[in-house]
Amino acid sequence: MKKFLSFAFVVLLAGAWGFLKFKTAKNEMESAAAPENRRTLHVYAMSDYFPSEVIKEFETANNCEVKYDNFSNNEELLAKLQAGARGYDIIVPSDYAVRALIESKLIKPLDHAKLPNFKNLGRDFTEVPYDPGSKHSVAYTWGTSGLVYNTKFVKEPVESWDVLFKKEYVRKIALLDDSREVLGAMLRKLGYSTNTVNMDELKAAKELLLKLKPSVRLFSSDPKQHLLSGDVWIAHTYSGDAQQIIKDHPEYKYITPKEGGVIFIDAMAIPEGAPNEDLAYKFINNILQPEVGLKITEELRYSSPNTALESLLKDETLKASSIRKVQLGKLEFLKDLGAETEKWDRAWSEAKTK
Ligand code: N2P
């Protein structure tokens, strides 16, 4: 009897241990399974282009994770997708790159029924030449590129691209890491269009850039740190990125040079092969909410195409750059140059590698 009891006890113990082990394993499996159930939205855009608060709120509301990958210029995005990269759910190209992606069938036509907040966009930003009716893309921000400079070091008022060529600023200059922007600026300084495909004009732009190169400390699409550290005094940059610096450091100024430059609309699109299309629609529709758009424009300081948030804007600078104030003047939208882009690529790589 004693023997039986101790046998029973051992069996019971083993059973209990087995049960516990099973339970722990099950719990472990369940907790391991939970993150797998959380979907991941893959976003591919330029650096710092979505406020982290907006991303976090979206992740919580949709039980998902947002992974963010950066490109420095539209050509990098186009090359990557044209080479067959898949797996992104949201991309943020500029106007002319949207056109190129439509032409090469790399972005999906949008189902507007899944974007009820699309109605918040102003007509200037839905009837756009690069994507009439916004059939493939949804405007996210708009702005210009120009020059931001530190008035502590640059005492003269800056109004022209000429300032980049002055000997006082040798090695104190940053240019965007972007062929269309940089050669575009050279072209404007020479009095030509930023959309030229004329070889003589492009050659002149390339030569002007080669002349400027000794002054250039770096090519960067995100020169903020270099400006703040004092390495760079004048940077060719985007309006919103410049306004982010000015907000906290009023000694900086931003201008669009008098000879003209680039104005852009950046847009959200869903690339072919997107693994989480329904989540991508939710992401776009969320951005289009006025309160979310307000957070974005207040933090990123780009102008918003969302007319529904205009009445919520309190910040005077942002009001001044609001939707009603689009003035083209000498600014040009970049155009997709199709096969002629090759001429630009060649001029750019010749100027950059020399
Ligand atoms: C954001 C860059 C904005 C891109 N850091 C302008 N096309």
Side-chain angles (χ1 to χ4, degrees):
M1 182 68 180
K2 233 189 191 170
K3 240 190 195 164
F4 173 73
L5 271 182
S6 49
F7 174 71
F9 181 69
V10 169
V11 168
L12 213 75
L13 213 69
W17 183 76
F19 176 71
L20 273 176
K21 206 171 162 218
F22 169 69
K23 263 207 94 170
T24 341
K26 196 165 168 261
N27 283 346
E28 270 168 16
M29 264 166 61
E30 270 165 9
S31 53
E36 277 163 30
N37 287 340
R38 277 183 90 202
R39 285 179 301 166
T40 305
L41 183 84
H42 292 269
V43 176
Y44 191 33
M46 288 193 77
S47 63
D48 301 324
Y49 220 3
F50 292 95
S52 46
E53 191 191 335
V54 169
I55 296 283
K56 278 199 200 105
E57 282 170 3
F58 181 79
E59 287 177 327
T60 312
N62 293 282
N63 184 34
C64 69
E65 190 189 349
V66 174
K67 281 223 170 109
Y68 196 102
D69 209 358
N70 290 333
F71 55 84
S72 299
N73 51 62
N74 285 288
E75 285 57 45
E76 195 182 326
L77 160 76
L78 292 172
K80 195 158 182 181
L81 293 188
Q82 276 155 2
R86 295 292 177 271
Y88 295 117
D89 298 299
I90 295 278
I91 55 170
V92 188
S94 302
D95 35 46
Y96 76 98
V98 170
R99 184 75 237 149
L101 291 165
I102 297 172
E103 297 289 341
S104 46
K105 300 202 167 33
L106 286 167
I107 50 178
K108 296 187 180 222
L110 294 172
D111 177 357
H112 281 233
K114 293 185 181 155
L115 299 171
N117 293 329
F118 180 78
K119 63 174 190 313
N120 294 335
L121 292 182
R123 221 185 119 76
D124 286 355
F125 299 95
T126 56
E127 284 312 317
V128 283
Y130 58 87
D131 181 17
S134 296
K135 290 200 172 70
H136 291 79
S137 66
V138 172
Y140 175 54
T141 57
W142 67 269
T144 56
S145 50
L147 296 173
V148 65
Y149 61 102
N150 188 338
T151 57
K152 270 204 298 201
F153 304 123
V154 183
K155 304 271 183 215
E156 59 186 312
V158 172
E159 51 178 30
S160 155
W161 293 111
D162 285 344
V163 73
L164 299 175
F165 294 82
K166 293 201 168 169
K167 62 176 185 326
E168 300 92 292
Y169 309 125
V170 168
R171 301 279 300 152
K172 293 293 176 195
I173 305 285
L175 296 182
L176 285 167
D177 185 16
D178 186 306
S179 56
R180 295 296 305 267
E181 289 283 357
V182 172
L183 289 172
M186 300 299 109
L187 285 163
R188 290 311 308 212
K189 179 171 149 49
L190 292 165
Y192 304 133
S193 162
T194 51
N195 289 306
T196 189
V197 289
N198 174 307
M199 265 324 273
D200 294 335
E201 293 177 5
L202 268 173
K203 193 162 169 268
K206 180 186 87 180
E207 269 150 24
L208 191 57
L209 177 56
L210 282 169
K211 222 171 97 194
L212 178 58
K213 262 185 86 184
S215 290
V216 179
R217 186 172 211 112
L218 78 158
F219 288 89
S220 168
S221 296
D222 201 359
K224 191 173 181 190
Q225 291 320 320
H226 294 274
L227 281 160
L228 295 179
S229 72
D231 287 355
V232 162
W233 296 352
I234 310 174
H236 176 206
T237 194
Y238 302 111
S239 50
D241 293 13
Q243 297 302 345
Q244 287 168 35
I245 298 174
I246 294 168
K247 183 170 174 269
D248 299 327
H249 309 275
E251 68 274 24
Y252 288 83
K253 278 204 164 86
Y254 174 76
I255 58 120
T256 53
K258 62 173 192 229
E259 302 90 342
V262 173
I263 180 168
F264 65 84
I265 298 175
D266 285 350
M268 297 173 282
I270 305 180
E272 272 307 329
N276 290 298
E277 206 181 307
D278 58 324
L279 206 51
Y281 276 104
K282 285 190 181 142
F283 185 84
I284 299 175
N285 198 49
N286 179 59
I287 297 279
L288 294 172
Q289 284 190 66
E291 300 72 23
V292 177
L294 182 69
K295 273 186 200 159
I296 293 170
T297 196
E298 279 179 344
E299 182 164 331
L300 302 183
R301 328 267 326 147
Y302 283 97
S303 306
S304 175
N306 192 328
T307 29
L309 65 77
E310 262 193 290
S311 59
L312 309 175
L313 276 180
K314 298 213 171 58
D315 185 296
E316 290 305 323
T317 321
L318 291 176
K319 271 193 204 167
S321 66
S322 90
I323 181 171
R324 310 257 174 251
K325 309 285 188 322
V326 192
Q327 269 165 7
L328 274 184
K330 286 197 164 182
L331 299 172
E332 283 180 289
F333 279 102
L334 294 177
K335 290 194 182 114
D336 172 32
L337 304 174
E340 309 271 26
T341 306
E342 208 190 299
K343 293 181 185 167
W344 279 70
D345 292 346
R346 218 173 319 126
W348 177 242
S349 67
E350 281 166 15
K352 251 188 114 179
T353 52
K354 236 189 205 167

